[in-house]
Amino acid sequence: YCPLEWTPPLSHNAPSEGPKARALACRLFKQESGEWLVLDDYQTKLIDSILEVYPANYEVEHLRGCLRFRQAIVSIPRRNGKSLIASVLVTYSMVMSAAPNIGVLASTKEQAKEVFENVRYNFDNSEVLKSRFKTTNHRGIESKRSDRPAHFKIHAGKGDSLQGITFVGIVPVVIDELHITKQEAYDAAVKGASTNPSAVVVGITTAGTDTSDLLKRLYKTGRAAILGGEDSNPRFGFWHWTVPVGSDLFDRDALLRANPAALANPPRIDIDQEILEGKANPAGDYSEYRRYRRNEFVSVEDMWITMDVWRKTEGLGIPEDYDGPRVFCIDRTKKWDWATITAAVKIDDIVYTERVARILAPDLEYMTLVCEHLFNNHDVATF
């Protein structure tokens, strides 16, 4: 279960609404196989952690019995059961809250609909839930009973469209993929849920890129909350599954640590297969592998090629008997200290390249003469 970074409970036997939420889901949810839902150990512990409550003897009297966290951020690689966690929390909030008005939020309505559809599947396939709630494509999920109103709706992640909305419930808002959510949208959702001192806004995400400002901010807040201190937020929970810093790209133990679903019974992620597919990437582009399997931040323009992949590209250049068209590529340093010209051709889906010239302190006039010479002596496809 243990993520690399996580907010520990206030005590080893801290009270929680998690057991009730889990029991409800396991009595209502059927899997596509027709079997009743059985949660993995890490899902059990995570739900219990998110729904931890302050004990009856807590030092701050008005917080006794309230949910400990106002914000709960979970960062975990893909295919580790994010949608199921959201479904359990939303269903418990819909059934057990007084007049809930719950929102699922993402950067676009299409993205939010993915979470909504996973929740809707359980409401459409449970006779108990169908007797009390109705689902629609446009209005979301709502109660059939006027004396017990309840709403679960999709919202696009735009701050201005969320202003003035009051979210109500034990879990009033679930936010998907925080790495592409706008900061003003997240802040508006938290503000809209602030009327109830015992409510937790839950964000579930994978790692982002160097432009994911909101997610980087939430990571910083979460780490500060774990360490404690005068300026930390004691009602902020953070659970972060990732590989240890400095671990080898294909370290199996590190990947198992980051992907708890790989240790489920039966495992839902085959780590050995993931490693094979990662190593087989012919372009050496490990950005998606690092982000979605190792849960690491990546650069938006991640053009780095590792040395093992770089060495595999070594060859003898363009075959001597090739007489077809060439693509000439010109690159120079910013201050015109050096310029390099390379030629590239494609033969049977294989690209061959070789260096044509490396020029010290070039200028535009000289570079033009070089290109004219190449044009007059070779079949040039383009420069």
Side-chain angles (χ1 to χ4, degrees):
Y1 155 73
C2 192
L4 192 70
E5 300 177 289
W6 57 288
T7 306
L10 293 176
S11 65
H12 73 279
N13 59 348
S16 171
E17 293 196 20
K20 290 190 289 184
R22 293 186 286 103
L24 181 71
C26 292
R27 291 283 296 272
L28 294 177
F29 293 0
K30 279 192 175 181
Q31 302 175 84
E32 293 183 4
S33 63
E35 299 177 346
W36 293 105
L37 172 66
V38 177
L39 292 167
D40 296 329
D41 286 345
Y42 78 96
Q43 294 171 329
T44 294
K45 292 174 181 176
L46 178 58
I47 292 169
D48 289 357
S49 297
I50 292 172
L51 297 180
E52 181 182 349
V53 299
Y54 285 111
N57 61 349
Y58 188 65
E59 56 187 0
V60 181
E61 185 176 352
H62 73 271
L63 291 179
R64 294 172 183 173
C66 291
L67 289 174
R68 176 187 173 189
F69 301 114
R70 299 301 305 273
Q71 300 173 63
I73 304 301
V74 179
S75 178
I76 193 168
R78 282 190 175 176
R79 293 178 24 227
N80 277 280
K82 292 189 302 174
S83 297
L84 179 56
I85 297 293
S87 294
V88 172
L89 295 174
V90 168
T91 302
Y92 182 64
S93 194
M94 284 285 283
V95 172
M96 301 300 294
S97 303
N101 180 32
I102 301 168
V104 56
L105 174 66
S107 61
T108 64
K109 282 195 174 183
E110 290 71 23
Q111 179 71 33
K113 195 171 182 180
E114 291 187 22
V115 178
F116 172 79
E117 291 295 340
N118 281 287
V119 175
R120 177 179 174 173
Y121 174 85
N122 295 305
F123 276 74
D124 284 342
N125 289 278
S126 166
E127 293 301 323
V128 175
L129 291 174
K130 283 198 297 184
S131 68
R132 181 177 163 190
F133 299 96
K134 59 183 177 181
T135 63
T136 67
N137 289 326
H138 303 292
R139 296 176 59 86
I141 300 173
E142 56 187 30
S143 175
K144 293 180 178 179
R145 296 176 52 175
S146 59
D147 62 326
R148 298 187 68 182
H151 299 276
F152 176 52
K153 298 178 181 178
I154 295 173
H155 297 272
K158 299 179 180 179
D160 53 354
S161 66
L162 296 172
Q163 298 295 336
I165 298 178
T166 300
F167 296 103
V168 180
I170 298 169
V171 181
V173 185
V174 174
I175 305 171
D176 186 37
E177 299 297 16
L178 290 163
H179 65 276
I180 51 176
T181 300
K182 294 182 178 180
Q183 298 198 56
E184 56 268 28
Y186 178 86
D187 293 338
V190 171
K191 184 177 181 181
S194 62
T195 57
N196 184 352
S198 183
V200 54
V201 173
V202 178
I204 308 180
T205 187
T206 52
T209 68
D210 47 13
T211 63
S212 302
D213 294 333
L214 170 64
L215 189 54
K216 288 190 288 186
R217 186 190 95 190
L218 295 174
Y219 270 43
K220 183 178 180 180
T221 304
R223 286 165 176 157
I226 292 172
L227 293 174
E230 185 177 343
D231 296 328
S232 65
N233 184 348
R235 303 196 69 183
F236 192 102
F238 184 48
W239 297 267
H240 180 206
W241 275 269
T242 186
V243 296
V245 176
S247 61
D248 183 75
L249 187 63
F250 299 108
D251 186 323
R252 188 175 188 274
D253 289 338
L255 290 169
L256 288 172
R257 173 74 180 270
N259 294 271
L263 296 171
N265 186 22
R268 294 193 305 281
I269 296 176
D270 186 338
I271 287 297
D272 294 321
Q273 185 63 31
E274 294 288 332
I275 293 174
L276 286 174
E277 292 178 2
K279 289 181 176 180
N281 188 326
D285 178 10
Y286 296 131
S287 292
E288 289 198 5
Y289 169 82
R290 285 169 47 211
R291 181 175 169 192
Y292 297 133
R293 193 51 54 221
R294 291 168 61 89
N295 204 31
E296 295 177 316
F297 273 75
V298 298
S299 171
V300 172
E301 297 181 359
D302 192 348
M303 301 174 68
W304 179 257
I305 297 177
T306 58
M307 286 306 299
D308 61 325
V309 175
W310 177 255
R311 292 191 184 100
K312 290 178 183 178
T313 68
E314 183 179 7
L316 300 176
I318 298 172
E320 292 185 3
D321 58 352
Y322 177 80
D323 59 359
R326 289 165 165 77
V327 173
F328 287 97
C329 301
I330 306 164
D331 192 20
R332 65 170 175 84
T333 57
K334 188 174 183 179
K335 295 182 179 180
W336 288 82
D337 300 315
W338 289 93
T340 301
I341 301 177
T342 59
V345 303
K346 189 174 184 180
I347 306 172
D348 297 330
D349 291 328
I350 298 176
V351 176
Y352 297 84
T353 64
E354 66 181 30
R355 190 173 66 190
V356 174
R358 185 165 179 255
I359 305 166
L360 173 63
D363 58 30
L364 185 58
E365 182 180 3
Y366 182 73
M367 293 298 297
T368 303
L369 290 174
V370 173
C371 291
E372 288 177 351
H373 174 78
L374 292 171
F375 183 81
N376 291 329
N377 289 274
H378 297 281
D379 183 357
V380 179
T382 188
F383 283 98

